[in-house]
Amino acid sequence: MLNPLTRKLLAFCDFTSAERRALARLGEYGVQRLPGNGLGNDPRKPGDVYLVVDGWAQRYKILPDGGRQILAYLLPGDMSERDTDVFGGFDHEMEAIGYATVCQISKQTLLETERDHPRIAIALAWAACVERATLQEWIANLGRRSPERRVAHLLCELWRRMAIIGNADGDVMSFPVSQVQLADTVGLTPVTVNRIIQRLRQQNTIILQNGKLQVLQAEQLCTMAGFDAAYLYADNSHAKSHDF
Amino acid sequence: MLNPLTRKLLAFCDFTSAERRALARLGEYGVQRLPGNGLGNDPRKPGDVYLVVDGWAQRYKILPDGGRQILAYLLPGDMSERDTDVFGGFDHEMEAIGYATVCQISKQTLLETERDHPRIAIALAWAACVERATLQEWIANLGRRSPERRVAHLLCELWRRMAIIGNADGDVMSFPVSQVQLADTVGLTPVTVNRIIQRLRQQNTIILQNGKLQVLQAEQLCTMAGFDAAYLYADNSHAKSHDF
DNA sequence: CGTTAGTTTGAAAGTCTTCAATTCTCGTGG
DNA sequence: CCACGAGAATTGAAGACTTTCAAACTAACG
């Protein structure tokens, strides 16, 4: 079975068996299981990169007034930012959601892998590019979508990303995010998020309970969210056509 | 006189005279003056990168419902995203604010410059890193700051960035952004932005008129905004200490 | 079976948006 | 040199919506 990083990058280009072995090795360094969901348990050491292999993690900021803003969800196959680690400290925190399994990869190991397998380096750069596009989509989400659409859009994105790595079983997927976390993601209060979710349930659009999300009416959800998956570059046709 | 790109990167590391010449050359390719502020006049060709040398530009998205979200302001020395250009189409538009002078640099020229001057490549990577940090700061701004703080924070950021490239004359700087654009940046209506600005004026915090911004009480503005310039890495101490 | 985190509900208060209409600014043409 | 027009800024008032504040309820866990 391929690890989630390989599964994710496969959406960008095919790999030789040598490359696949290298990717597999990346998922075997310093494996550790982290509890999140509590105190500040940010496990990061500068210079190292963390790859989520099971469960979810989140990156977030705490503002001066104590408010929290979630900046990104790290699904299996996602890595903590590499560049930031290279150029200095972190400007945000990271922690697991519930429990997550991550592996800790030294900068050197990563650089050697990229040196030995240029196509992997390109694929990782592509992944970083998608991450930046996602940040931009979140800005648009927070700034110019109605509360209901905001939540819907986030659900669409997470569903699609889980599907890309093969972690969505049809229209059902694991969804370990609490309503408070959703609120800290989409810039609303937990109360509002709760009422929006109830509305979505009443419309038979989704089922969300017990850490599981089921999308009953995908078409409707995507439409109301104004969701266009292009920014995830899940449509790899143009990417694969490059000479990589 | 150094061009704005050089001035910006100088905040990251010093350059040899050969490197400075290379940076100077980058600012001389395909110079053109663009009117913005009107119709969709996005001048970009895939594969080319655009460097702002005078005036401001903006990147933005148009949502399905017609709303506009501004994603970033490009000040002198800023470049349109390189990665996006490499990996496919654009997922956003770009246009000048008022009039701006940009130069059009082919991907090949840029890559050659980076190849011949590795430290320039690193400095550009650093700049991209700062841009990503800025996107994240905007997410926090939109999601978890009050309207008043949002506007204040944006003003702080732009003031600081103008100062970094030496385009702020003390507490006064050019500020070609309309209130409607501010509204499309911070996720508010023009009416609300207008009232916030009036409040800032009445408190003698800023003067904003005729395309000029003057910060009368910097301390107060930054405090109320919860502004911490660390994400701009303007404090180059840790960066310059690297072995670049 | 008690505890804790998470979800749900209600009602009041506050704030932003909406919708118009007015005023101001500045470049252009007469 | 002044009138005109377009874009930008400003103002007012009503309405809609989210937030706030509590409190009750549920579910999971030891």
Side-chain angles (χ1 to χ4, degrees):
Chain A
M1 182 54 180
L2 301 170
N3 72 20
L5 176 61
T6 310
R7 299 205 299 276
K8 184 172 88 163
L9 298 184
L10 237 21
F12 174 66
C13 70
D14 297 323
F15 293 107
T16 65
S17 50
E19 287 164 344
R20 289 177 193 234
R21 278 195 300 276
L23 285 169
R25 266 195 304 279
L26 280 182
E28 292 164 1
Y29 290 98
V31 176
Q32 48 195 296
R33 188 152 183 83
L34 298 172
N37 217 358
L39 332 105
N41 66 336
D42 193 329
R44 290 177 294 173
K45 293 180 184 59
D48 285 354
V49 161
Y50 293 80
L51 167 67
V52 178
V53 293
D54 186 56
W56 294 24
Q58 56 185 340
R59 296 192 295 112
Y60 61 92
K61 272 186 195 242
I62 301 293
L63 301 193
D65 68 354
R68 175 180 67 167
Q69 175 63 46
I70 293 177
L71 301 168
Y73 289 104
L74 280 73
L75 274 42
D78 289 334
M79 293 193 328
S80 62
E81 310 285 328
R82 289 178 304 153
D83 311 327
T84 319
D85 306 359
V86 175
F87 289 115
F90 309 110
D91 70 333
H92 59 263
E93 327 267 315
M94 170 176 159
E95 70 179 33
I97 298 175
Y99 273 86
T101 305
V102 306
C103 55
Q104 180 175 358
I105 306 171
S106 74
K107 181 169 55 177
Q108 192 195 346
T109 300
L110 191 62
L111 288 176
E112 285 171 2
T113 303
E114 293 188 326
R115 186 200 55 200
D116 297 341
H117 305 279
R119 278 158 38 100
I120 289 180
I122 292 172
L124 288 174
W126 166 77
C129 193
V130 171
E131 271 171 44
R132 191 173 45 59
T134 303
L135 290 179
Q136 294 188 164
E137 194 62 41
W138 281 34
I139 288 176
N141 209 28
L142 286 161
R144 278 291 175 256
R145 260 191 271 264
S146 71
E148 194 161 32
R149 284 162 195 262
R150 262 183 245 181
V151 174
H153 194 277
L154 179 62
L155 296 182
C156 287
E157 178 191 303
L158 292 171
W159 181 38
R160 174 59 67 103
R161 286 172 57 192
M162 285 293 267
I164 290 174
I165 57 174
N167 278 30
D169 178 17
D171 54 4
V172 186
M173 58 181 259
S174 164
F175 194 88
V177 182
S178 75
Q179 292 182 9
V180 175
Q181 288 170 311
L182 286 178
D184 285 341
T185 306
V186 294
L188 300 167
T189 60
V191 174
T192 303
V193 168
N194 178 273
R195 286 171 180 151
I196 288 171
I197 288 176
Q198 289 183 51
R199 229 176 298 155
L200 290 174
R201 281 199 272 246
Q202 282 162 13
Q203 298 164 192
N204 264 298
T205 308
I206 63 167
I207 297 176
L208 178 55
Q209 57 185 205
N210 298 43
K212 290 253 177 296
L213 169 67
Q214 179 168 14
V215 180
L216 299 175
Q217 300 186 242
E219 190 62 29
Q220 193 201 355
L221 188 67
C222 293
T223 302
M224 75 108 63
F227 179 74
D228 177 356
Y231 70 98
L232 296 174
Y233 294 82
D235 167 23
N236 54 20
S237 56
H238 64 289
K240 284 196 176 177
S241 67
H242 280 241
D243 300 327
F244 298 139
Chain B
M1 182 55 180
L2 302 169
N3 70 22
L5 175 61
T6 310
R7 299 205 299 275
K8 183 172 87 162
L9 298 184
L10 237 21
F12 174 65
C13 69
D14 295 323
F15 293 106
T16 65
S17 50
E19 286 165 345
R20 288 177 193 234
R21 278 195 300 277
L23 285 169
R25 265 196 304 280
L26 279 181
E28 292 165 359
Y29 290 98
V31 177
Q32 47 194 297
R33 187 153 184 82
L34 299 172
N37 216 359
L39 333 103
N41 64 335
D42 194 329
R44 289 178 295 173
K45 294 181 184 61
D48 284 354
V49 160
Y50 293 79
L51 166 66
V52 178
V53 292
D54 186 56
W56 294 24
Q58 56 185 340
R59 296 193 295 112
Y60 62 92
K61 273 186 193 242
I62 300 294
L63 301 194
D65 67 355
R68 174 181 67 166
Q69 175 64 45
I70 294 178
L71 301 169
Y73 289 104
L74 281 73
L75 274 41
D78 290 333
M79 291 192 330
S80 63
E81 311 284 327
R82 288 178 304 154
D83 311 328
T84 320
D85 306 359
V86 174
F87 288 114
F90 309 110
D91 71 334
H92 59 260
E93 325 267 315
M94 170 178 159
E95 68 179 34
I97 299 176
Y99 273 87
T101 306
V102 306
C103 55
Q104 180 176 358
I105 306 171
S106 76
K107 180 168 56 177
Q108 192 195 345
T109 299
L110 191 61
L111 288 175
E112 285 171 2
T113 303
E114 293 188 325
R115 185 199 56 202
D116 296 341
H117 305 280
R119 278 157 40 96
I120 289 180
I122 294 173
L124 287 174
W126 166 76
C129 192
V130 171
E131 270 171 45
R132 193 175 42 61
T134 303
L135 290 179
Q136 295 188 163
E137 194 61 41
W138 280 35
I139 288 177
N141 210 28
L142 286 161
R144 278 292 175 255
R145 261 191 270 265
S146 71
E148 194 161 32
R149 285 163 195 262
R150 261 183 246 181
V151 174
H153 193 278
L154 178 62
L155 297 182
C156 286
E157 178 190 304
L158 293 170
W159 182 38
R160 174 60 67 103
R161 287 171 57 192
M162 285 292 268
I164 290 174
I165 57 174
N167 277 30
D169 178 17
D171 54 4
V172 186
M173 58 181 260
S174 165
F175 194 88
V177 182
S178 75
Q179 292 183 7
V180 174
Q181 288 170 310
L182 287 178
D184 285 340
T185 306
V186 293
L188 299 168
T189 59
V191 174
T192 303
V193 167
N194 178 273
R195 285 170 181 152
I196 288 172
I197 288 176
Q198 289 183 51
R199 230 176 296 155
L200 290 174
R201 281 200 271 246
Q202 281 160 13
Q203 299 164 192
N204 262 298
T205 308
I206 63 168
I207 296 176
L208 179 54
Q209 59 184 201
N210 297 44
K212 291 251 178 295
L213 168 67
Q214 179 169 12
V215 180
L216 299 175
Q217 301 186 239
E219 190 61 30
Q220 193 202 356
L221 187 68
C222 293
T223 302
M224 78 108 58
F227 179 74
D228 177 356
Y231 70 98
L232 295 173
Y233 295 82
D235 167 22
N236 53 21
S237 55
H238 66 289
K240 283 196 175 176
S241 67
H242 280 241
D243 299 327
F244 298 140

